[in-house]
Structures are given as C-alpha cells and as structure tokens.
Amino acid sequence: MGSRVNTVLTIPEPGKTVLVEKPYPNIKAGYVVIKTEIAPICLEGTRIWAEHDFEFHDDPEHLGHEGVGTVVEVVDGSNFSVGDRVIVFQGDHCGQCHACNNGLSPTYCDANDPDVVGPENAAMHGIERRNESASGGFAMATHRIAPEANLYKIPDELPFRYAAAANCSFGVGFSNQENMNVKAGDTALVGGIGFIAMGHVISALYRNAKVIALIRNPYRRQLLTDMGVVHFVNPDDPDWLAQVRALTYRGQGVDHAIDSSGVPYYQERLIDATRKYGNINFSGHTPGARLELHPLKHVIDPAHTLWGQHDVRARDRERLIRALCDPEVQRMVDVMVTHEFPMSRASEAFELQVSKQCGKIYLWTQQ
Ligand SMILES: [Zn+2]
Ligand SMILES: [Zn+2]
C-alpha cells in the first residue's frame, strides 16, 4: 500500500497550478476515503488563482470543498461500503453542537468554526489533523477524507454531474429557499448573477415561483433565458423599479429578493423592490463589502426579514437530492454547468471563471 499517492492540485503563485503527489490519506473511525470524481469550482478561480487571497480553511496546497465521488476505503463498523457513490457536504462534524443537533448546515458546526476550535483544527485542515493524515481534507485532489455524517449516498439513477450541483450552486439556493419558504406563485427577484444565483433561479423555477432577474451580463442573461427565465430588468434603467413592480401582484413588490452580488449596488435595489413583510436573502460572497443599513427604514418600516446561509442544511439534503432527480432540474443544471475541465487543466478553468463568461465550472479530478 506504500506506493499509493494522492495527487493534489496546488496554486503556488497567482496564475499558476501544479499537481503535487502527497501521501495517500489515512483515516480513523467515523471517516471514509473517497475517490473524488468532480470537484466543482467555487471561488478558487477568482479569489485564489487570480488574487492568492485565502480564508482560514484554505492555502496554496489545500484547495476545494465541493465534490462527489466513490468510497474506496472504510474502517470496521462503517455505515458505508467500498463502491458507494456519495455527495460530500463540506467540513467536519462534531455531532453535538447547535448546528449538528438541529440538522443545520455543517458550515456552522463547532468543528468548522475557527473561533471555537482554532483555525488549524477547523474545517478541512481539522479533518486532516484528526485523521493524522498528510493529505485528503480537500476536494481538488484525486482522493479525499470526509466524515460519514456529511456524506449522502447518491441514488443509482442520479449521475455524478447532477449530484455535483448539491453544493455551492443549486444546493445553496435550494436550502436558502427552504429557509425562506419560496413557493408556487411567489415572485423572486434575483440580482447579481453568478453560480449561486443560478442555483437560486433553478430552485425558484422548480418551486413554480416567478423569477425576475436584475442583470447586466449578456452571457449570463442568455443562460437564464435557456433555463426558462422570461423576466429581465436592467438595473441601470432609470425606471428599473417600476419595471420590477409591474411584474408583481398589484405592484406591491416582490415576495423574495435574493442578492448574489455581495455589493450594495444590487443590495440597495433588491431591498427597495421587496414588498412589506418580504424576505431579503444575502447569498453574495464579497469580503469587506459594506451596506448602509438603517434599521427603522430598511427593516422595521417595511417589516422585512433578512436571511443568509452558506452551504446546505442537513435537514434539506433528502429534498435537495429528490429535486436533483427531476428531469427539468437536470435540464437546467446542464445549462448552468457551462464548462468541464480535467484537473490537469485547472488553470484554463480558473482563467475562464475570472472572465465571467461561464456558469458553474466542474473539475474532473481523475483526469
Ligand atoms: Zn463552495
Ligand atoms: Zn457540530
């Protein structure tokens, strides 16, 4: 077994990727080794490949958190078997914190919180430390370690490329909309169209809500058109608000406004367009961005509820996977996933993400 290795994607400097061979992962009770097939790209292109900007959970040699693959090694007593196809929901699992005890998103588990366990013990770095493994905590590698509690067995009829939409695209949109109770007949205004927004759009269409896109990027507007969105408003138009209101019941404003830009240009418009007692969802990831919020004017007077959540609540996993088995959802995921690359050509994939001429991009890690 000593000859086995784990081939890991690294970004040693901005604009450069190198595949590095590390020791094959080691596991302890509660964990399995997975041969990863697809590692969808989250912000590794724009944030890391382009800027070398890291968060507590990643560094140049530890990349990627989304993924699907096949179990290749278990320990005695495991609930999984070699050959099981699984979705990996990111991070570790403590089993006893507020998030774990309430079926919430593992991102909020104490085991993934650097303020609770320290950055070196948190999230995927913590997975490697707890397993005394020299590799395997991360998705952009041929092999990965994950806690059994954060795995979901993929139904036989669901191909990997649809299951891979269960993380930071359709999965995040779906779980946020379960939180907000987006339902048939509702209006959902989505602003700032990246892959999280596309996940929200697919989720809203699946729920038979009316989707209105506040959008400027022509490439991504075409993707939404191909998904089935028919209502588009250019946020630069002087009468953009009147256009949005005209699409809502009695002009009262949208039921749900979803920001995927992370910047005030869209956030301010989305708040203005939401009806009384409506929901505002923040799904954009822009570190350092600030929004001037007046609690009386923006929250109390309109009785708005503000929402936000990374990742997928554990309690939403079954309904999410059932949705991914729906042929119409799969058709829309096919539109959203505009490009697929072998991991050996990751630089091209990251460069494409920076260009914004793409939807969600998949890396096939065994190629
Ligand atoms: Zn992600
Ligand atoms: Zn926990």
Side-chain angles (χ1 to χ4, degrees), residues 70-310:
T70 305
V71 173
V72 290
E73 190 173 327
V74 299
V75 296
D76 284 350
S78 173
N79 290 315
F80 287 81
S81 305
V82 169
D84 284 343
R85 299 161 65 248
V86 293
I87 297 164
V88 182
F89 289 97
Q90 66 198 49
D92 212 345
H93 175 83
C94 82
Q96 293 299 322
C97 69
H98 178 78
C100 287
N101 278 324
N102 288 278
L104 305 179
S105 150
T107 293
Y108 304 95
C109 170
D110 282 357
N112 298 316
D113 187 339
D115 294 334
V116 176
V117 294
E120 69 284 2
N121 293 313
M124 287 87 74
H125 282 302
I127 290 175
E128 290 190 358
R129 283 175 77 104
R130 268 184 283 287
N131 286 280
E132 296 182 64
S133 182
S135 80
F138 296 77
M140 292 179 176
T142 54
H143 294 81
R144 178 177 190 180
I145 307 167
E148 293 186 14
N150 285 344
L151 298 180
Y152 194 98
K153 285 186 193 174
I154 301 172
D156 289 344
E157 67 270 25
L158 186 63
F160 277 131
R161 67 187 308 280
Y162 300 120
N167 297 128
C168 304
S169 57
F170 181 60
V172 169
F174 185 90
S175 187
N176 272 278
Q177 292 188 15
E178 287 288 297
N179 249 336
M180 295 191 294
N181 192 24
V182 176
K183 54 191 184 300
D186 286 355
T187 43
L189 177 66
V190 183
I193 308 295
F195 53 82
I196 297 287
M198 291 179 203
H200 269 288
V201 166
I202 296 171
S203 173
L205 292 173
Y206 172 68
R207 294 161 195 272
N208 287 317
K210 178 194 276 188
V211 172
I212 308 165
L214 207 54
I215 187 169
R216 295 184 289 191
N217 179 321
Y219 178 90
R220 289 177 171 168
R221 175 179 168 141
Q222 185 59 48
L223 293 182
L224 297 198
T225 301
D226 294 344
M227 286 179 190
V229 176
V230 294
H231 305 293
F232 295 95
V233 174
N234 183 335
D236 288 336
D237 285 353
D239 66 339
W240 71 271
L241 182 57
Q243 292 181 49
V244 171
R245 286 182 177 271
L247 293 165
T248 65
Y249 179 68
R250 295 170 64 180
Q252 66 188 13
V254 299
D255 302 300
H256 312 278
I258 296 157
D259 172 56
S260 299
S261 71
V263 295
Y265 174 86
Y266 282 100
Q267 291 162 345
E268 289 167 354
R269 283 166 172 74
L270 291 163
I271 291 170
D272 287 346
T274 303
R275 68 158 165 79
K276 296 184 184 75
Y277 280 94
N279 291 314
I280 318 284
N281 178 279
F282 295 94
S283 288
H285 190 112
T286 307
R290 296 173 74 99
L291 171 68
E292 193 172 302
L293 188 82
H294 301 271
L296 179 59
K297 178 182 172 207
H298 291 131
V299 183
I300 304 171
D301 284 350
H304 283 165
T305 302
L306 309 185
W307 299 87
Q309 177 192 271
H310 291 296

Side-chain angles (χ1 to χ4, degrees), residues 40-44 64-66 90 167-169 172 195-196 311 360:
I41 297 177
C42 197
L43 298 174
E44 289 83 8
H65 52 267
E66 306 181 37
Q90 66 198 49
N167 297 128
C168 304
S169 57
V172 169
F195 53 82
I196 297 287
D311 201 359
K360 189 72 173 176

